[in-house]
Amino acid sequence: MNRVTIVLLALLAAGCGGAPPGGGGESPLRGHTFVSTTVTENGQPHELAPGTQVTFRFMPDGRLLATAGCNTLAGPVSADGGRLEVSDLSMTNMGCDPPRHEQDDWLAGFLGGKPSWKLDGDTLVVTSGAKELTMLDRKDTEPDLPLRGTRWTVDSLLDGETSASTPQGTSAWLEFGATSVDLHPGCNQGSADYELAGETIRFGPAITTRMACEPDAMELEAAVLAVLDGTVGYAVDGKTLTLKHPSGKGLELRG
């Protein structure tokens, strides 16, 4: 299985600590996700790769997660003084088609310019030089999917601050019922009881069939089941479900 590691793109601000630079209080952006509605450059429309959009996720822990259709750019962010300053910007290293790779580079340059921002209701306008993003709070464009009744397909395996795509040709999914979750963790089928408590899910022991599959599918299954073990944190953001185990392992799933 080809693990994806996070590689350092650029050091955008002095200091390497985990806290965002500046200290002007909590940003009104924190905890919100914005998706692009229009993108312009030099006052003209800037066409994105087909089927893509720019997404900014301002995490509760003070990080910005930004995507443009392929990799995820991440780093501690300050919104002080009307500017977004991302320190220690890093990017996952997943393989995509050339247009989306070029879009990743475009977005990295955009964020590296310490863009200005303005929030008007649920509309965020971010400007970096001649480039401008108009974005809308995701809750207005893409309400959160329900945890129960949605088939969640594993998209990425998380390990601390690193992310790995699932092996090519494999798949894994979860579907939550009222008190149990149906599992296809990579090879076998099964289920597990679960309980919700605030922002956590407590999984009971998983009961699965015992077939043998290709090595990549078995490795994916082991990684998924390691996360669905005991009490884990969970969050639904639009069509994305994130599960985080206390060990630092986790899953990102798409509905």
Side-chain angles (χ1 to χ4, degrees), residues 1 151-157 166-167 169-175 181-192 206-211 213-229 243 251 253:
M1 179 169 139
R151 176 163 291 193
W152 299 100
T153 301
V154 178
D155 184 68
S156 301
L157 306 177
T166 56
T170 66
S171 68
W173 54 261
L174 314 176
E175 190 165 337
V181 55
D182 291 333
L183 309 172
H184 172 67
C187 173
N188 289 280
Q189 304 283 345
S191 65
I207 300 173
T208 68
T209 56
R210 295 183 177 274
M211 296 190 303
C213 298
E214 294 294 324
D216 281 351
M218 297 303 294
E219 189 171 350
L220 173 60
E221 180 163 302
V224 170
L225 292 178
V227 175
L228 308 182
D229 180 20
L243 301 176
L251 303 172
L253 307 97

mmCIF file of all heavy atoms in Angstrom, residues 1 151-157 166-167 169-175 181-192 206-211 213-229 243 251 253:
data_model
loop_
_atom_site.group_PDB
_atom_site.id
_atom_site.type_symbol
_atom_site.label_atom_id
_atom_site.label_comp_id
_atom_site.label_asym_id
_atom_site.label_seq_id
_atom_site.Cartn_x
_atom_site.Cartn_y
_atom_site.Cartn_z
ATOM 1 N N MET A 1 0.848 -1.174 0.000
ATOM 2 C CA MET A 1 0.000 0.000 0.000
ATOM 3 C C MET A 1 0.886 1.227 0.000
ATOM 4 O O MET A 1 1.837 1.336 0.757
ATOM 5 C CB MET A 1 -0.888 -0.039 1.234
ATOM 6 C CG MET A 1 -1.803 1.131 1.392
ATOM 7 S SD MET A 1 -2.980 0.766 2.691
ATOM 8 C CE MET A 1 -3.019 2.319 3.488
ATOM 9 N N ARG A 151 -24.388 6.043 3.349
ATOM 10 C CA ARG A 151 -23.272 5.115 3.139
ATOM 11 C C ARG A 151 -22.001 5.941 3.032
ATOM 12 O O ARG A 151 -21.827 6.719 2.103
ATOM 13 C CB ARG A 151 -23.459 4.261 1.891
ATOM 14 C CG ARG A 151 -22.254 3.362 1.623
ATOM 15 C CD ARG A 151 -22.545 2.224 0.666
ATOM 16 N NE ARG A 151 -23.434 1.242 1.266
ATOM 17 C CZ ARG A 151 -23.659 0.030 0.744
ATOM 18 N NH1 ARG A 151 -23.076 -0.338 -0.387
ATOM 19 N NH2 ARG A 151 -24.482 -0.813 1.339
ATOM 20 N N TRP A 152 -21.118 5.779 4.009
ATOM 21 C CA TRP A 152 -19.871 6.531 4.083
ATOM 22 C C TRP A 152 -18.737 5.673 3.524
ATOM 23 O O TRP A 152 -18.441 4.609 4.061
ATOM 24 C CB TRP A 152 -19.562 6.912 5.534
ATOM 25 C CG TRP A 152 -20.592 7.785 6.172
ATOM 26 C CD1 TRP A 152 -21.581 7.400 7.031
ATOM 27 C CD2 TRP A 152 -20.745 9.193 5.998
ATOM 28 N NE1 TRP A 152 -22.332 8.471 7.416
ATOM 29 C CE2 TRP A 152 -21.848 9.589 6.804
ATOM 30 C CE3 TRP A 152 -20.050 10.158 5.265
ATOM 31 C CZ2 TRP A 152 -22.267 10.914 6.871
ATOM 32 C CZ3 TRP A 152 -20.477 11.478 5.332
ATOM 33 C CH2 TRP A 152 -21.567 11.849 6.128
ATOM 34 N N THR A 153 -18.121 6.138 2.464
ATOM 35 C CA THR A 153 -17.031 5.419 1.805
ATOM 36 C C THR A 153 -15.692 5.985 2.254
ATOM 37 O O THR A 153 -15.485 7.208 2.234
ATOM 38 C CB THR A 153 -17.147 5.536 0.274
ATOM 39 O OG1 THR A 153 -18.408 4.986 -0.135
ATOM 40 C CG2 THR A 153 -16.025 4.780 -0.417
ATOM 41 N N VAL A 154 -14.792 5.110 2.667
ATOM 42 C CA VAL A 154 -13.483 5.557 3.151
ATOM 43 C C VAL A 154 -12.696 6.171 1.991
ATOM 44 O O VAL A 154 -12.504 5.543 0.947
ATOM 45 C CB VAL A 154 -12.689 4.388 3.766
ATOM 46 C CG1 VAL A 154 -11.307 4.862 4.218
ATOM 47 C CG2 VAL A 154 -13.457 3.797 4.948
ATOM 48 N N ASP A 155 -12.265 7.409 2.194
ATOM 49 C CA ASP A 155 -11.511 8.140 1.171
ATOM 50 C C ASP A 155 -10.031 8.232 1.520
ATOM 51 O O ASP A 155 -9.176 8.104 0.661
ATOM 52 C CB ASP A 155 -12.087 9.544 0.998
ATOM 53 C CG ASP A 155 -11.426 10.329 -0.109
ATOM 54 O OD1 ASP A 155 -11.599 9.962 -1.278
ATOM 55 O OD2 ASP A 155 -10.716 11.311 0.200
ATOM 56 N N SER A 156 -9.737 8.455 2.811
ATOM 57 C CA SER A 156 -8.349 8.634 3.240
ATOM 58 C C SER A 156 -8.137 7.997 4.599
ATOM 59 O O SER A 156 -9.056 7.941 5.430
ATOM 60 C CB SER A 156 -7.987 10.125 3.336
ATOM 61 O OG SER A 156 -8.157 10.780 2.099
ATOM 62 N N LEU A 157 -6.913 7.518 4.825
ATOM 63 C CA LEU A 157 -6.485 7.010 6.127
ATOM 64 C C LEU A 157 -5.627 8.072 6.781
ATOM 65 O O LEU A 157 -4.685 8.593 6.169
ATOM 66 C CB LEU A 157 -5.684 5.720 5.941
ATOM 67 C CG LEU A 157 -6.360 4.603 5.149
ATOM 68 C CD1 LEU A 157 -5.410 3.413 4.991
ATOM 69 C CD2 LEU A 157 -7.666 4.167 5.802
ATOM 70 N N THR A 166 -6.626 5.569 -0.019
ATOM 71 C CA THR A 166 -6.815 4.120 0.024
ATOM 72 C C THR A 166 -6.144 3.493 -1.204
ATOM 73 O O THR A 166 -6.033 4.129 -2.247
ATOM 74 C CB THR A 166 -8.309 3.758 0.046
ATOM 75 O OG1 THR A 166 -8.945 4.347 -1.094
ATOM 76 C CG2 THR A 166 -8.964 4.282 1.311
ATOM 77 N N PRO A 167 -5.678 2.252 -1.100
ATOM 78 C CA PRO A 167 -4.992 1.623 -2.237
ATOM 79 C C PRO A 167 -5.900 1.535 -3.461
ATOM 80 O O PRO A 167 -7.105 1.312 -3.332
ATOM 81 C CB PRO A 167 -4.648 0.222 -1.719
ATOM 82 C CG PRO A 167 -4.698 0.327 -0.237
ATOM 83 C CD PRO A 167 -5.732 1.370 0.072
ATOM 84 N N GLY A 169 -8.007 0.300 -6.381
ATOM 85 C CA GLY A 169 -8.719 -0.949 -6.579
ATOM 86 C C GLY A 169 -9.364 -1.517 -5.335
ATOM 87 O O GLY A 169 -9.946 -2.604 -5.383
ATOM 88 N N THR A 170 -9.266 -0.804 -4.203
ATOM 89 C CA THR A 170 -9.899 -1.265 -2.968
ATOM 90 C C THR A 170 -11.017 -0.304 -2.569
ATOM 91 O O THR A 170 -11.065 0.836 -3.024
ATOM 92 C CB THR A 170 -8.889 -1.358 -1.814
ATOM 93 O OG1 THR A 170 -8.423 -0.031 -1.479
ATOM 94 C CG2 THR A 170 -7.704 -2.232 -2.194
ATOM 95 N N SER A 171 -11.892 -0.765 -1.698
ATOM 96 C CA SER A 171 -12.953 0.100 -1.180
ATOM 97 C C SER A 171 -13.363 -0.387 0.199
ATOM 98 O O SER A 171 -13.229 -1.565 0.525
ATOM 99 C CB SER A 171 -14.165 0.121 -2.113
ATOM 100 O OG SER A 171 -14.811 -1.141 -2.121
ATOM 101 N N ALA A 172 -13.854 0.556 0.991
ATOM 102 C CA ALA A 172 -14.365 0.247 2.326
ATOM 103 C C ALA A 172 -15.476 1.235 2.628
ATOM 104 O O ALA A 172 -15.405 2.397 2.216
ATOM 105 C CB ALA A 172 -13.254 0.341 3.371
ATOM 106 N N TRP A 173 -16.517 0.786 3.339
ATOM 107 C CA TRP A 173 -17.611 1.686 3.662
ATOM 108 C C TRP A 173 -18.265 1.297 4.987
ATOM 109 O O TRP A 173 -18.130 0.169 5.460
ATOM 110 C CB TRP A 173 -18.650 1.733 2.545
ATOM 111 C CG TRP A 173 -19.215 0.421 2.101
ATOM 112 C CD1 TRP A 173 -18.837 -0.311 1.016
ATOM 113 C CD2 TRP A 173 -20.275 -0.332 2.724
ATOM 114 N NE1 TRP A 173 -19.582 -1.464 0.922
ATOM 115 C CE2 TRP A 173 -20.480 -1.498 1.946
ATOM 116 C CE3 TRP A 173 -21.073 -0.131 3.847
ATOM 117 C CZ2 TRP A 173 -21.441 -2.464 2.273
ATOM 118 C CZ3 TRP A 173 -22.028 -1.089 4.179
ATOM 119 C CH2 TRP A 173 -22.201 -2.222 3.398
ATOM 120 N N LEU A 174 -18.987 2.272 5.556
ATOM 121 C CA LEU A 174 -19.773 2.089 6.778
ATOM 122 C C LEU A 174 -21.172 2.617 6.513
ATOM 123 O O LEU A 174 -21.352 3.589 5.786
ATOM 124 C CB LEU A 174 -19.186 2.879 7.950
ATOM 125 C CG LEU A 174 -17.687 2.848 8.222
ATOM 126 C CD1 LEU A 174 -17.363 3.788 9.386
ATOM 127 C CD2 LEU A 174 -17.245 1.441 8.539
ATOM 128 N N GLU A 175 -22.158 2.004 7.146
ATOM 129 C CA GLU A 175 -23.524 2.527 7.094
ATOM 130 C C GLU A 175 -24.161 2.356 8.462
ATOM 131 O O GLU A 175 -24.357 1.231 8.927
ATOM 132 C CB GLU A 175 -24.339 1.825 6.009
ATOM 133 C CG GLU A 175 -25.676 2.494 5.761
ATOM 134 C CD GLU A 175 -26.343 2.049 4.477
ATOM 135 O OE1 GLU A 175 -25.634 1.565 3.555
ATOM 136 O OE2 GLU A 175 -27.585 2.176 4.384
ATOM 137 N N VAL A 181 -23.785 -0.545 13.123
ATOM 138 C CA VAL A 181 -23.219 -0.053 11.877
ATOM 139 C C VAL A 181 -22.828 -1.248 11.019
ATOM 140 O O VAL A 181 -22.171 -2.177 11.489
ATOM 141 C CB VAL A 181 -21.999 0.865 12.142
ATOM 142 C CG1 VAL A 181 -20.944 0.185 12.995
ATOM 143 C CG2 VAL A 181 -21.386 1.358 10.822
ATOM 144 N N ASP A 182 -23.296 -1.266 9.757
ATOM 145 C CA ASP A 182 -22.890 -2.291 8.806
ATOM 146 C C ASP A 182 -21.515 -1.927 8.252
ATOM 147 O O ASP A 182 -21.241 -0.755 7.956
ATOM 148 C CB ASP A 182 -23.901 -2.401 7.662
ATOM 149 C CG ASP A 182 -25.232 -2.967 8.118
ATOM 150 O OD1 ASP A 182 -25.243 -3.725 9.099
ATOM 151 O OD2 ASP A 182 -26.255 -2.645 7.492
ATOM 152 N N LEU A 183 -20.667 -2.940 8.084
ATOM 153 C CA LEU A 183 -19.272 -2.703 7.723
ATOM 154 C C LEU A 183 -18.883 -3.464 6.466
ATOM 155 O O LEU A 183 -19.240 -4.634 6.299
ATOM 156 C CB LEU A 183 -18.335 -3.178 8.844
ATOM 157 C CG LEU A 183 -18.585 -2.717 10.268
ATOM 158 C CD1 LEU A 183 -17.652 -3.466 11.222
ATOM 159 C CD2 LEU A 183 -18.369 -1.221 10.384
ATOM 160 N N HIS A 184 -18.168 -2.793 5.604
ATOM 161 C CA HIS A 184 -17.352 -3.460 4.585
ATOM 162 C C HIS A 184 -15.979 -2.793 4.703
ATOM 163 O O HIS A 184 -15.692 -1.802 4.039
ATOM 164 C CB HIS A 184 -17.917 -3.287 3.181
ATOM 165 C CG HIS A 184 -16.992 -3.797 2.116
ATOM 166 N ND1 HIS A 184 -16.685 -5.141 1.982
ATOM 167 C CD2 HIS A 184 -16.281 -3.151 1.166
ATOM 168 C CE1 HIS A 184 -15.835 -5.285 0.973
ATOM 169 N NE2 HIS A 184 -15.580 -4.098 0.465
ATOM 170 N N PRO A 185 -15.131 -3.277 5.608
ATOM 171 C CA PRO A 185 -13.884 -2.572 5.924
ATOM 172 C C PRO A 185 -12.776 -2.737 4.893
ATOM 173 O O PRO A 185 -11.688 -2.177 5.073
ATOM 174 C CB PRO A 185 -13.482 -3.161 7.277
ATOM 175 C CG PRO A 185 -14.097 -4.515 7.298
ATOM 176 C CD PRO A 185 -15.363 -4.422 6.509
ATOM 177 N N GLY A 186 -13.028 -3.494 3.829
ATOM 178 C CA GLY A 186 -11.983 -3.661 2.820
ATOM 179 C C GLY A 186 -12.048 -5.000 2.133
ATOM 180 O O GLY A 186 -11.784 -5.116 0.940
ATOM 181 N N CYS A 187 -12.407 -6.032 2.892
ATOM 182 C CA CYS A 187 -12.499 -7.390 2.345
ATOM 183 C C CYS A 187 -13.788 -8.053 2.800
ATOM 184 O O CYS A 187 -14.622 -8.421 1.986
ATOM 185 C CB CYS A 187 -11.285 -8.208 2.784
ATOM 186 S SG CYS A 187 -11.376 -9.966 2.354
ATOM 187 N N ASN A 188 -13.961 -8.179 4.098
ATOM 188 C CA ASN A 188 -15.087 -8.903 4.667
ATOM 189 C C ASN A 188 -16.297 -8.002 4.908
ATOM 190 O O ASN A 188 -16.211 -6.778 4.810
ATOM 191 C CB ASN A 188 -14.650 -9.568 5.966
ATOM 192 C CG ASN A 188 -13.705 -10.727 5.716
ATOM 193 O OD1 ASN A 188 -14.127 -11.816 5.369
ATOM 194 N ND2 ASN A 188 -12.393 -10.491 5.870
ATOM 195 N N GLN A 189 -17.413 -8.643 5.234
ATOM 196 C CA GLN A 189 -18.640 -7.950 5.622
ATOM 197 C C GLN A 189 -18.868 -8.184 7.104
ATOM 198 O O GLN A 189 -18.455 -9.209 7.645
ATOM 199 C CB GLN A 189 -19.833 -8.489 4.827
ATOM 200 C CG GLN A 189 -19.683 -8.431 3.330
ATOM 201 C CD GLN A 189 -19.892 -7.043 2.773
ATOM 202 O OE1 GLN A 189 -20.418 -6.161 3.460
ATOM 203 N NE2 GLN A 189 -19.491 -6.820 1.532
ATOM 204 N N GLY A 190 -19.523 -7.222 7.754
ATOM 205 C CA GLY A 190 -19.797 -7.416 9.166
ATOM 206 C C GLY A 190 -20.611 -6.277 9.753
ATOM 207 O O GLY A 190 -21.208 -5.474 9.027
ATOM 208 N N SER A 191 -20.619 -6.220 11.071
ATOM 209 C CA SER A 191 -21.363 -5.178 11.771
ATOM 210 C C SER A 191 -20.786 -5.007 13.165
ATOM 211 O O SER A 191 -20.012 -5.842 13.660
ATOM 212 C CB SER A 191 -22.855 -5.528 11.857
ATOM 213 O OG SER A 191 -23.034 -6.688 12.652
ATOM 214 N N ALA A 192 -21.166 -3.885 13.783
ATOM 215 C CA ALA A 192 -20.754 -3.612 15.169
ATOM 216 C C ALA A 192 -21.825 -2.743 15.813
ATOM 217 O O ALA A 192 -22.423 -1.891 15.146
ATOM 218 C CB ALA A 192 -19.395 -2.922 15.213
ATOM 219 N N ALA A 206 -16.360 -5.561 16.512
ATOM 220 C CA ALA A 206 -16.859 -5.836 15.169
ATOM 221 C C ALA A 206 -16.918 -7.341 14.934
ATOM 222 O O ALA A 206 -15.991 -8.075 15.288
ATOM 223 C CB ALA A 206 -15.959 -5.180 14.131
ATOM 224 N N ILE A 207 -18.011 -7.798 14.344
ATOM 225 C CA ILE A 207 -18.178 -9.202 13.963
ATOM 226 C C ILE A 207 -18.199 -9.248 12.443
ATOM 227 O O ILE A 207 -19.068 -8.635 11.803
ATOM 228 C CB ILE A 207 -19.480 -9.781 14.536
ATOM 229 C CG1 ILE A 207 -19.466 -9.684 16.059
ATOM 230 C CG2 ILE A 207 -19.669 -11.226 14.097
ATOM 231 C CD1 ILE A 207 -20.782 -10.072 16.707
ATOM 232 N N THR A 208 -17.229 -9.944 11.843
ATOM 233 C CA THR A 208 -17.124 -9.972 10.386
ATOM 234 C C THR A 208 -16.938 -11.404 9.892
ATOM 235 O O THR A 208 -16.600 -12.308 10.657
ATOM 236 C CB THR A 208 -15.915 -9.129 9.899
ATOM 237 O OG1 THR A 208 -14.700 -9.764 10.311
ATOM 238 C CG2 THR A 208 -15.976 -7.713 10.448
ATOM 239 N N THR A 209 -17.160 -11.564 8.583
ATOM 240 C CA THR A 209 -16.799 -12.825 7.940
ATOM 241 C C THR A 209 -15.273 -12.948 7.936
ATOM 242 O O THR A 209 -14.556 -12.008 8.301
ATOM 243 C CB THR A 209 -17.339 -12.859 6.500
ATOM 244 O OG1 THR A 209 -16.836 -11.717 5.780
ATOM 245 C CG2 THR A 209 -18.868 -12.812 6.494
ATOM 246 N N ARG A 210 -14.776 -14.108 7.517
ATOM 247 C CA ARG A 210 -13.334 -14.358 7.637
ATOM 248 C C ARG A 210 -12.731 -14.804 6.297
ATOM 249 O O ARG A 210 -11.973 -15.751 6.227
ATOM 250 C CB ARG A 210 -13.069 -15.409 8.716
ATOM 251 C CG ARG A 210 -13.458 -14.940 10.111
ATOM 252 C CD ARG A 210 -13.113 -15.968 11.173
ATOM 253 N NE ARG A 210 -13.418 -15.484 12.502
ATOM 254 C CZ ARG A 210 -12.609 -14.744 13.245
ATOM 255 N NH1 ARG A 210 -11.431 -14.387 12.784
ATOM 256 N NH2 ARG A 210 -12.968 -14.368 14.459
ATOM 257 N N MET A 211 -13.072 -14.087 5.257
ATOM 258 C CA MET A 211 -12.493 -14.374 3.948
ATOM 259 C C MET A 211 -11.097 -13.774 3.849
ATOM 260 O O MET A 211 -10.766 -12.811 4.548
ATOM 261 C CB MET A 211 -13.364 -13.784 2.840
ATOM 262 C CG MET A 211 -14.750 -14.386 2.750
ATOM 263 S SD MET A 211 -15.590 -13.845 1.239
ATOM 264 C CE MET A 211 -15.536 -12.067 1.425
ATOM 265 N N CYS A 213 -8.446 -11.910 1.181
ATOM 266 C CA CYS A 213 -8.478 -11.131 -0.049
ATOM 267 C C CYS A 213 -7.056 -10.751 -0.448
ATOM 268 O O CYS A 213 -6.088 -11.165 0.196
ATOM 269 C CB CYS A 213 -9.329 -9.874 0.127
ATOM 270 S SG CYS A 213 -11.065 -10.211 0.514
ATOM 271 N N GLU A 214 -6.963 -9.927 -1.484
ATOM 272 C CA GLU A 214 -5.658 -9.429 -1.907
ATOM 273 C C GLU A 214 -5.003 -8.650 -0.774
ATOM 274 O O GLU A 214 -5.692 -8.063 0.072
ATOM 275 C CB GLU A 214 -5.812 -8.533 -3.139
ATOM 276 C CG GLU A 214 -6.295 -9.245 -4.386
ATOM 277 C CD GLU A 214 -5.273 -10.245 -4.888
ATOM 278 O OE1 GLU A 214 -4.060 -9.951 -4.785
ATOM 279 O OE2 GLU A 214 -5.673 -11.325 -5.359
ATOM 280 N N PRO A 215 -3.651 -8.621 -0.723
ATOM 281 C CA PRO A 215 -2.956 -7.958 0.388
ATOM 282 C C PRO A 215 -3.390 -6.507 0.620
ATOM 283 O O PRO A 215 -3.543 -6.086 1.775
ATOM 284 C CB PRO A 215 -1.488 -8.048 -0.011
ATOM 285 C CG PRO A 215 -1.405 -9.282 -0.860
ATOM 286 C CD PRO A 215 -2.696 -9.318 -1.619
ATOM 287 N N ASP A 216 -3.604 -5.719 -0.452
ATOM 288 C CA ASP A 216 -3.996 -4.322 -0.265
ATOM 289 C C ASP A 216 -5.347 -4.215 0.434
ATOM 290 O O ASP A 216 -5.543 -3.357 1.306
ATOM 291 C CB ASP A 216 -4.051 -3.596 -1.611
ATOM 292 C CG ASP A 216 -2.677 -3.183 -2.112
ATOM 293 O OD1 ASP A 216 -1.704 -3.314 -1.346
ATOM 294 O OD2 ASP A 216 -2.577 -2.728 -3.273
ATOM 295 N N ALA A 217 -6.289 -5.085 0.052
ATOM 296 C CA ALA A 217 -7.603 -5.065 0.685
ATOM 297 C C ALA A 217 -7.507 -5.479 2.150
ATOM 298 O O ALA A 217 -8.183 -4.895 3.020
ATOM 299 C CB ALA A 217 -8.563 -5.979 -0.066
ATOM 300 N N MET A 218 -6.679 -6.457 2.453
ATOM 301 C CA MET A 218 -6.517 -6.883 3.840
ATOM 302 C C MET A 218 -5.845 -5.807 4.688
ATOM 303 O O MET A 218 -6.201 -5.605 5.850
ATOM 304 C CB MET A 218 -5.706 -8.183 3.896
ATOM 305 C CG MET A 218 -6.373 -9.373 3.205
ATOM 306 S SD MET A 218 -8.022 -9.765 3.864
ATOM 307 C CE MET A 218 -7.626 -10.294 5.538
ATOM 308 N N GLU A 219 -4.886 -5.094 4.084
ATOM 309 C CA GLU A 219 -4.218 -4.017 4.829
ATOM 310 C C GLU A 219 -5.181 -2.861 5.083
ATOM 311 O O GLU A 219 -5.190 -2.276 6.177
ATOM 312 C CB GLU A 219 -2.994 -3.522 4.056
ATOM 313 C CG GLU A 219 -2.122 -2.568 4.859
ATOM 314 C CD GLU A 219 -0.810 -2.250 4.189
ATOM 315 O OE1 GLU A 219 -0.470 -2.904 3.187
ATOM 316 O OE2 GLU A 219 -0.119 -1.326 4.670
ATOM 317 N N LEU A 220 -6.016 -2.544 4.082
ATOM 318 C CA LEU A 220 -7.034 -1.510 4.284
ATOM 319 C C LEU A 220 -7.993 -1.929 5.384
ATOM 320 O O LEU A 220 -8.343 -1.127 6.264
ATOM 321 C CB LEU A 220 -7.786 -1.265 2.975
ATOM 322 C CG LEU A 220 -9.005 -0.337 3.056
ATOM 323 C CD1 LEU A 220 -8.600 1.050 3.540
ATOM 324 C CD2 LEU A 220 -9.709 -0.261 1.707
ATOM 325 N N GLU A 221 -8.433 -3.181 5.365
ATOM 326 C CA GLU A 221 -9.369 -3.662 6.376
ATOM 327 C C GLU A 221 -8.776 -3.554 7.779
ATOM 328 O O GLU A 221 -9.454 -3.120 8.720
ATOM 329 C CB GLU A 221 -9.754 -5.107 6.078
ATOM 330 C CG GLU A 221 -10.725 -5.683 7.093
ATOM 331 C CD GLU A 221 -11.406 -6.930 6.587
ATOM 332 O OE1 GLU A 221 -12.064 -6.863 5.529
ATOM 333 O OE2 GLU A 221 -11.271 -7.976 7.253
ATOM 334 N N ALA A 222 -7.523 -3.925 7.927
ATOM 335 C CA ALA A 222 -6.878 -3.833 9.246
ATOM 336 C C ALA A 222 -6.830 -2.388 9.719
ATOM 337 O O ALA A 222 -7.062 -2.096 10.908
ATOM 338 C CB ALA A 222 -5.475 -4.431 9.181
ATOM 339 N N ALA A 223 -6.545 -1.453 8.796
ATOM 340 C CA ALA A 223 -6.466 -0.037 9.166
ATOM 341 C C ALA A 223 -7.830 0.493 9.580
ATOM 342 O O ALA A 223 -7.950 1.261 10.556
ATOM 343 C CB ALA A 223 -5.906 0.772 7.999
ATOM 344 N N VAL A 224 -8.881 0.108 8.861
ATOM 345 C CA VAL A 224 -10.231 0.575 9.190
ATOM 346 C C VAL A 224 -10.679 0.027 10.537
ATOM 347 O O VAL A 224 -11.177 0.771 11.399
ATOM 348 C CB VAL A 224 -11.217 0.175 8.076
ATOM 349 C CG1 VAL A 224 -12.660 0.444 8.510
ATOM 350 C CG2 VAL A 224 -10.901 0.936 6.784
ATOM 351 N N LEU A 225 -10.499 -1.274 10.754
ATOM 352 C CA LEU A 225 -10.953 -1.879 12.009
ATOM 353 C C LEU A 225 -10.175 -1.350 13.211
ATOM 354 O O LEU A 225 -10.707 -1.294 14.323
ATOM 355 C CB LEU A 225 -10.833 -3.402 11.916
ATOM 356 C CG LEU A 225 -11.795 -4.080 10.923
ATOM 357 C CD1 LEU A 225 -11.537 -5.579 10.888
ATOM 358 C CD2 LEU A 225 -13.248 -3.793 11.287
ATOM 359 N N ALA A 226 -8.925 -0.943 12.996
ATOM 360 C CA ALA A 226 -8.135 -0.376 14.100
ATOM 361 C C ALA A 226 -8.729 0.937 14.579
ATOM 362 O O ALA A 226 -8.599 1.301 15.753
ATOM 363 C CB ALA A 226 -6.689 -0.177 13.652
ATOM 364 N N VAL A 227 -9.388 1.674 13.678
ATOM 365 C CA VAL A 227 -10.034 2.933 14.076
ATOM 366 C C VAL A 227 -11.374 2.672 14.748
ATOM 367 O O VAL A 227 -11.741 3.344 15.721
ATOM 368 C CB VAL A 227 -10.214 3.852 12.844
ATOM 369 C CG1 VAL A 227 -11.001 5.105 13.218
ATOM 370 C CG2 VAL A 227 -8.856 4.233 12.263
ATOM 371 N N LEU A 228 -12.120 1.668 14.260
ATOM 372 C CA LEU A 228 -13.453 1.367 14.804
ATOM 373 C C LEU A 228 -13.314 0.504 16.049
ATOM 374 O O LEU A 228 -13.867 -0.598 16.143
ATOM 375 C CB LEU A 228 -14.294 0.657 13.748
ATOM 376 C CG LEU A 228 -14.393 1.337 12.384
ATOM 377 C CD1 LEU A 228 -15.296 0.538 11.456
ATOM 378 C CD2 LEU A 228 -14.876 2.765 12.512
ATOM 379 N N ASP A 229 -12.601 1.021 17.029
ATOM 380 C CA ASP A 229 -12.250 0.258 18.223
ATOM 381 C C ASP A 229 -12.404 1.134 19.451
ATOM 382 O O ASP A 229 -11.601 2.044 19.675
ATOM 383 C CB ASP A 229 -10.812 -0.249 18.099
ATOM 384 C CG ASP A 229 -10.366 -1.068 19.309
ATOM 385 O OD1 ASP A 229 -11.241 -1.566 20.043
ATOM 386 O OD2 ASP A 229 -9.145 -1.194 19.516
ATOM 387 N N LEU A 243 -13.422 10.368 11.421
ATOM 388 C CA LEU A 243 -13.334 9.586 12.651
ATOM 389 C C LEU A 243 -11.899 9.644 13.138
ATOM 390 O O LEU A 243 -10.972 9.392 12.362
ATOM 391 C CB LEU A 243 -13.745 8.130 12.408
ATOM 392 C CG LEU A 243 -15.156 7.883 11.880
ATOM 393 C CD1 LEU A 243 -15.361 6.391 11.600
ATOM 394 C CD2 LEU A 243 -16.205 8.375 12.868
ATOM 395 N N LEU A 251 -9.974 8.054 10.015
ATOM 396 C CA LEU A 251 -10.541 7.836 8.689
ATOM 397 C C LEU A 251 -11.237 9.100 8.235
ATOM 398 O O LEU A 251 -11.881 9.786 9.036
ATOM 399 C CB LEU A 251 -11.568 6.695 8.703
ATOM 400 C CG LEU A 251 -11.126 5.321 9.208
ATOM 401 C CD1 LEU A 251 -12.338 4.398 9.314
ATOM 402 C CD2 LEU A 251 -10.064 4.722 8.282
ATOM 403 N N LEU A 253 -14.129 9.908 5.421
ATOM 404 C CA LEU A 253 -15.091 9.190 4.591
ATOM 405 C C LEU A 253 -15.977 10.186 3.863
ATOM 406 O O LEU A 253 -16.241 11.290 4.358
ATOM 407 C CB LEU A 253 -15.952 8.254 5.442
ATOM 408 C CG LEU A 253 -15.207 7.269 6.356
ATOM 409 C CD1 LEU A 253 -15.107 7.824 7.775
ATOM 410 C CD2 LEU A 253 -15.892 5.905 6.374
#
